[in-house]
Amino acid sequence: MEQVIMNQLSYPILSTVIFLPVLGALLILITRRSWELLTKWIALGTSILTFIVSLTLFTDFDKSTHKMQFAEKFSWIPDWNIYYFLGVDGISVLFVLLSALIAILCVLISWDSIKTKVKEFYISILLTTSFMIGVFCSLDFFLFYLFWEAMLIPMFLIIGVWGGPNRIYAAIKFFLYTLVGSVLMLVGIIVLYLYAGNTFNILDLMTKTYPYNMQLWLFWAFFAAFAVKVPMWPVHTWLPDAHTEAPTAGSVILAAILIKMGAYGFLRFSLPLFPEASKAMVPVMLTLSVIAIIYGAVICFAQTDLKRLIAYSSVSHMGFVTLGIFALNTQGIEGGILQMLNHGIVTGALFLSVGIIYERTHSRLIADYGGLATPMPIYAAFFMVFTLAAVGLPGTNGFIGEFLILLGGFTANKLAGVLGATGIIIGAGYMLWLYQKIFFTEVNKKVMGLPDMDIRETITLIPLIILVLWIGIYPNPFLDFMHPSVQHLLERVNTGGVQEANIAKTIMEVIR
Amino acid sequence: MVPLSWYMVLSMVVFAIGVFGFLSRKNVIIMFISIELMLNAVNINLISLSHYLQDMRGQILAFFVIAVAAAEAVIGLAIIIALFRNKATVHVDEVKEMQG
Amino acid sequence: MKLYLLIPFLPLAAFVINILLGKEVLRDKAHWPSVLAVVGSFIVTITSVLPQAMAGKVINEDLYTWMLSGTFNVTVGFLIDPLTAVMLVVVTTCASLIHIYSVGYMHGDKGYYRFFAYLSLFTFFMLMLVMGNNFMQLYFGWEGVGLCSYFLIGYYLNKKSAADAGKKAFIVNRFGDFGFGIGVFMIFLTFGTLHYVPVFANAAGIAGQTVNFLGWNVDLPTLIALLLFCGAIGKSAQIPLHVWLPDAMEGPTPVSALIHAATMVTAGIFMVARCNPIFNLSEVAMNTVAIVGAATSLFAATIAITQNDIKRIIAYSTCSHLGLMFLACGVGAYAAGIFHLYTHAFFKALLFLAAGSVIHAVHTNDIQEMGGLKKYMPITYAVFVIAALSAAGIPGFSGFFSKDEIIWSAYASHSSVGKLVWLMATAVAFLTPFYTFRLIFLTFHGKYRGGHHEESHGHGAHHKEHHFHESPKIMTIPLILLAVGAVAAGWVGIPPILGGGAHFAKFLEPVLGHPEFHGTHAEEFGVMGLSTTIALIGIALAAFFYLKRTDLPKKLAEKFIGIYKISYNKYYIDELYDFTIVKPTMWIADKVLVAITDAKIIEGVVNGVPGAIGKFSEKLRKIQTGLAQHYGIFMAAGAFFTIALVLLLQ
């Protein structure tokens, strides 16, 4: 029990953050269908309240330890040794915050664009938020799996009910893809449960060692679940469809949080539970990551649909994340975590931005735009900042993440680092190409005279702009969260092996 | 004294007739009677073994089987009547609503 | 109070003010914050930083920790040594004058505030670039100036060619930065830090080490130096990444003067000079720098002689001069390279601004449409000639001293390619005056040749000759000040042989070292005399072709149509890249990845597996006949086999 710090606050903060949105959803459930405005305000109020409560995590987090903090533990199903066990560490805490923030933005951006089944929509959004936060906080595998799967249901509804014309296909594809992966993970979880003496406690499981062959099998079982979520090449094809068909809020949740869970899963489970298998699989994972980076980037050039392009760029960016994680060194993993956060912010922002013009033109075709900077200059400026962050320009958050990842990747494997870096060139190519097509050149008739962003839309994007620049200029407050946890993780991975292969130090010693 | 094996053989023959009847006849009533035959074959088995082993439990179980068979006969006949009312037939190969 | 912090952060403040208030509040006064900020930076540089650097004081201070991850630790920090001081002088002087000039040039433009905001942001990034004390900050400024260059090239939003050019500049530079970035990684892997001072202090220790890079065993210093040089090639528009610079002329002319002549494009030379401890370790890298520089110099000069766009000619001239600077660095004469950077900033900015003044008046870029402008624009003409003489390296003008020093360094250095690049540089010394004066003669002399397209574009009537007039004072005064620089800036570096003290090189010696030359005074005079004579011949030839026998160029072009076409079409490099990189990428994206890999292979598997299962169950469901007797048979058979199995196994 010494590996966690129980919650010292006067209230169970993690449970509050998880269940406040559920409470909001229940409130919405009992409001009358015709009171749409009240529904919206309840959703907005709940999500803002959740975020405010979660801010305590940011301020009160003890950055000097890798231990799980704000932990809560209650026996839940004693017969099977299942606990209601929550806690966050430096790897997960930032995602809790990001999820809470994204929920607010999703409510805001859907204010006018969702016109049918308003009540159910906001209930779905709030439930998704709750389950997502639950995934990041769970320290019991049973609870984790519950949240992990539960999240699919509201997400499935969001895509399938409020999506575009091809929504049913996309929703089912999304659901099946992720479910197939998850089921394999479930098998893995049960194997672990039985092997480790009937416990679902993730922290206990992490202290045990497993035979190499078992690690290998379980690694792939978990890989199936996480790789689909990330999504890694070649199981990425659900993402463009899901993103394209989902309503704006759905795309934002997908891009910002949901696909982070795959990478989070690698960090939280695959690496510490199966360290030997992870190390053995590094070449495979690096190869897949590099393919994803280049493949996802090149394929963007052939896209005609705005959201599809951003979706494919996500594949490329998440390739960076997995590259960093499987570099298995401090820079790579910290860069990976930061890049997950960055990608959530930037791609989330890009989807929000696309939603803003989609509401005006109802077209996702790139060819329908052009010269948009003339009627909508403020919008163009915002979009430019996000484009630059996506391109990884120094001074924006994208740069910090990508630089650390590539540095880590390069340290681990020079070829992977070099090939990964080509993704940055191609990235600049397609993002600027997109920007030019939409904002520059002659003004397209279809966009002439469009109103610029209103207050609500501006407010939606401003927090993200602030984060982009903040992390870009002064990333240390965020990196500080990770140091002990990442160090601890690496120790676990490298136990028995050589300490983090710090080539730099070795060479310095040779020189002296 | 009739040896046990005779009872066994009788039971087996009756059971086999029941199985054959069930599988080969199209008339649902005959099939039903075949099922009864199989049940009674089991009863013969139970009682003869009960007597042979001097254990009353076999005979008690036989009573159960008779009771269940009676209940089953009631339900089965009710179904057959319902079937006949709806389909005007008692031939099973004309009833294939469940075909995949 | 660290006064030097004002230098970069004043322009940043101006940028923020302009972005927030420029559109609604400041409007046509948007130049005030930017101009005041940059002039402020200039004053701080001259009054505080320069005297300190003169006194031999080096500032190396960290502001705050930027990134910390494991052993990787970089700060935002400042290093001010003589090299930085020189760069600061160049940047703030040129930026101040060009800001002021822009007030006149951009007057009345609808994106006025935007222009000044970008210009300030650019100044900020450029200053961060030269002032940083580590490679990360260099990279920060490096990418930042590239970004502003992108914004400013594409300043005319609705013009497709401008947007294309901006994008091209950004992406071509990314190719260079790719190498540069990997170079930075290598530095971190080798030295464990990215700060200049420890890296350069330990640089000597890696001499002769080899490292396995992607399967090849290569010399470590060579590898690092060449990777860094990749970045310089991109930013300073050297072969093979020079293609973006001429296109970048789509931007407003002050931008071309500031970014694409005086400051940003020289960042590559600055970086190579800054990293001289690493470059010095590798002869291969040094020779590469020298050869690439010399080749670009010659190559760009041969293109410049056939171009007709006034700004593109100057752009190619910039490429050529940048090549000369690299040449100097490549033979070890870093101080000569920086010296040329410094003089070049003045005369090239002047050339651009004067060209801008011309364009402002005649509203065209095509020199074939100009002519005879001398009498309408006397000041512009005068400064243009001064700049051209300086660029041509005519004795007495600042360009002469720096160019001569480079040529002499090439001749006298120990470098194994020294003599070769000296020959190439001498050829450039002939071509530069030729194309510069061709430009002058076609623009200012002879008769006005424009105006015959007037019917085709309706409002052209006011472009008629008698409407030409000199630019307003706010534009001509910066021109005159820059002209003073173009003449006199070089006087700080007059070589000892001409009675000077070579103060410039001495000032930089602590950072850049002192190259060892072998050569007599007689040789030095000979080299100097040769290049000067050749330059004069170049001018004379230009005068002969474009003043006396104006029919001759056309005839020559027709006679040597092959060579002319190659030069006119810039050696078809753009077409080559289009054909080998751009088109195949697009093709692969569209025809292979989308059409085959994603749609056929991956989706084939994804949709194929459920499809196969579906087909199988289609077959399987036939078993369910709906006949109770069939089920009975299965049950009986199953029971039979099970019992049989059990019995057999016993």
Side-chain angles (χ1 to χ4, degrees), chain A residues 173 177 234 236-237 295 298 312 331 334 391 394 418 424 432 436 440-441 472-473 475-476 483 502 504 508, chain C residues 64-66 68-69 71-72 136 139 143 147 157-158 164 167 170 174 178 189 191 589 597-598 602-603 606:
Chain A
K173 196 169 176 181
Y177 250 107
H236 62 276
T237 51
Y295 185 99
V298 171
Y312 273 114
Q331 290 88 27
E334 289 188 1
V391 170
V418 171
I424 293 190
L432 293 183
Q436 179 185 347
F440 294 153
T441 70
I473 293 166
N476 272 342
H483 297 319
N502 197 334
M508 279 306 279
Chain C
Y64 70 91
T65 302
W66 187 14
L68 177 71
S69 172
T71 53
F72 180 72
M136 274 305 268
Y139 196 73
E143 293 274 321
L147 169 73
L157 296 175
N158 300 337
D164 281 339
K167 191 178 64 181
F170 197 90
R174 274 270 160 137
F178 167 69
L189 281 192
F191 298 101
T597 322
D598 251 29
I602 296 177
E603 291 286 61
V606 167

Side-chain angles (χ1 to χ4, degrees), chain C residues 549-582:
Chain C
R549 298 284 305 275
T550 44
D551 56 325
L552 219 64
K554 208 167 192 183
K555 277 186 189 154
L556 277 178
E558 271 160 18
K559 190 148 191 204
F560 300 101
I561 187 79
I563 300 171
Y564 177 78
K565 272 259 164 82
I566 288 175
S567 165
Y568 185 74
N569 288 311
K570 308 148 212 160
Y571 293 79
Y572 297 97
I573 303 275
D574 277 329
E575 286 76 6
L576 182 73
Y577 287 165
D578 191 50
F579 202 70
T580 55
I581 296 173
V582 181

Side-chain angles (χ1 to χ4, degrees), chain A residues 430-493:
Chain A
Y430 67 76
M431 281 314 288
L432 293 183
W433 173 77
L434 174 70
Y435 195 86
Q436 179 185 347
K437 289 262 168 180
I438 297 180
F439 291 95
F440 294 153
T441 70
E442 279 162 37
V443 184
N444 193 315
K445 282 199 295 292
K446 289 182 185 164
V447 302
M448 227 173 255
L450 287 184
D452 209 335
M453 293 200 293
D454 60 24
I455 305 269
R456 170 181 63 88
E457 289 161 339
T458 316
I459 290 175
T460 315
L461 292 181
I462 279 179
L464 296 173
I465 289 260
I466 293 173
L467 280 172
V468 163
L469 295 177
W470 182 8
I471 301 181
I473 293 166
Y474 192 44
N476 272 342
F478 295 89
L479 287 171
D480 282 345
F481 278 98
M482 305 167 195
H483 297 319
S485 297
V486 170
Q487 212 50 48
H488 180 69
L489 174 64
L490 279 170
E491 273 162 28
R492 165 76 184 159
V493 174

Side-chain angles (χ1 to χ4, degrees), chain C residues 108 154 398 613:
Chain C
S398 57
I613 294 174

